[in-house]
Amino acid sequence: MSQSQHWVATAGQPLRGTLDIPGDKSVSHRSVMLAALADGVSTVDGFLEGEDTRATAAIFSRLGVRIETPSPSRRIVHGVGVDGLKAADGPLDCGNAGTGMRLLAGLLAAQPFDSVLVGDESLSKRPMRRVTGPLAQMGARIDTREDGTPPLRIHGGQALAGIDYTLPVASAQVKSALLLAGLYARGETAITEPHPTRDYTERMLSAFGVEIEFSPGHARLRGGQRLRATDIAVPADFSSAAFFLVAGSIVPGSELRLRAVGLNPRRTGLLQALRLMGADIREENPATHGGEPVADLVVRHAPLRGIDVPEALVPDMIDEFPALFVAAACAEGATVVRGAAELRVKESDRLAAMATGLRTLGLRVDETPDGATIQPGALGAGTIESHGDHRIAMAFAVAAQRATGEVRVDDVANVATSFPGFDALARGCGFGLRA
């Protein structure tokens, strides 16, 4: 995408077309990690060519893994086995990738060498104690800044022991970090969650031949297992598709087909919420890619109504709330969100950023510590500060398609972390959007 620091977005035309959304970011991270640890050569097709996922691949290259890129969105990973990683010659830069940093913390805590994980300005402000705490219970030694933020200084050569751990806050990233550490730990590692979270790591570990028991809210594996190389087809990223699902729903006359979108049941809370609001979204051509369910999603414009978002859906849509806020802004009647305090510690405080942005465009939004009430209305012109958060930036590009004037969205370069080419794809289907 353009590296311009801002977009100017205006109401365009009815959105039409068949779109290929980039590969799933979560699956792309994990596919490279597990392929690197496997015995043998794995091919990853549909790899997300985003800055976050490229950062993860670059880290494994520096850890001694040969990774080829024969063509865009394809990686050939020459696995070195669980005991084959080598010490890097300096700090490992995770960029903006919280997923990369937290999962790597678990993996590198078990290695015989020291490592340092660093990130960009945004990632360097994100809390890491939720992962370093339970890893310490397993025997890991990881130093952070005094406030628990990166860089992470990981001391190698620690003997890890499996634990039976109940997460105080549901987090797929923390769960995954503990499972990766558990591959190296003595005995079993068992994780219990207060609410079920995404099971990408569990599904992919199984695809790589690891014996792992998992069900919603629970996962268990024993240490000392090896991984077998396998080929992975990465589905289209549901979180990226979310912006076009909302845009197609709110722009009159629209009809979009999004091909082969990943529909992991722990990821699609937004799909259920939009349908509760009256969205017209149907699934066609169901299939399975790399152990993940996929389907084409066909969305048509439909009048939406405000809802009380069921709290049971919140863990399954935590990355999609910026898109939901835009749908709520264009609905009939108020939408109430509760139980989403996790949004305050994402790439930005997403509750505050979305509330402030919608107020800038003329709406009333009442914040609470763990949610908000969005009162819909006519969206006006204004300048939005995205705080360098890719999802905030894309959400307001969508909102502008229903605005009465120009919406300037500042600080959009980080969209490349998750959705390279968003602006071109959006313009191609009818968005009014320019750099």
Side-chain angles (χ1 to χ4, degrees), residues 293-357:
V294 304
D296 292 353
L297 296 179
V298 180
V299 56
R300 293 189 179 96
H301 169 254
L304 303 182
R305 58 183 175 272
I307 61 169
D308 280 13
V309 178
E311 286 194 47
L313 295 181
V314 169
D316 297 340
M317 58 184 294
I318 205 70
D319 280 337
E320 290 75 48
F321 270 99
L324 176 81
F325 271 52
V326 175
C330 299
E332 182 72 28
T335 293
V336 180
V337 174
R338 302 182 184 88
E342 176 76 4
L343 290 173
R344 296 204 182 275
V345 292
K346 301 297 283 184
E347 283 85 336
S348 65
D349 180 340
R350 285 182 175 159
L351 283 174
M354 288 305 302
T356 299

Side-chain angles (χ1 to χ4, degrees), residues 171-231:
S171 169
Q173 293 178 359
V174 176
K175 173 180 64 174
S176 297
L178 299 181
L179 291 173
L180 291 176
L183 286 173
Y184 294 86
R186 183 180 68 255
E188 283 193 340
T189 296
I191 312 297
T192 301
E193 303 172 287
H195 307 287
T197 64
R198 301 167 186 179
D199 57 3
Y200 291 125
T201 301
E202 298 94 308
R203 287 172 181 256
M204 196 171 291
L205 282 168
S206 181
F208 277 91
V210 172
E211 293 181 6
I212 178 169
E213 301 173 20
F214 63 97
S215 58
H218 301 276
R220 177 188 301 270
L221 58 73
R222 58 178 171 79
Q225 300 188 62
R226 300 193 73 85
L227 285 70
R228 297 191 305 269
T230 191
D231 294 339

Side-chain angles (χ1 to χ4, degrees), residues 1 60 79 109 128 213 217 315 376 405 428:
M1 64 162 270
F60 279 92
M128 292 292 154
E213 301 173 20

Side-chain angles (χ1 to χ4, degrees), residues 15 52 73 84 106 144 156 160 176 181 184 257 303 360 396:
L15 307 180
D52 280 7
S73 302
T144 66
L160 303 188
S176 297
Y184 294 86
R257 176 183 292 271
T360 296
F396 281 101

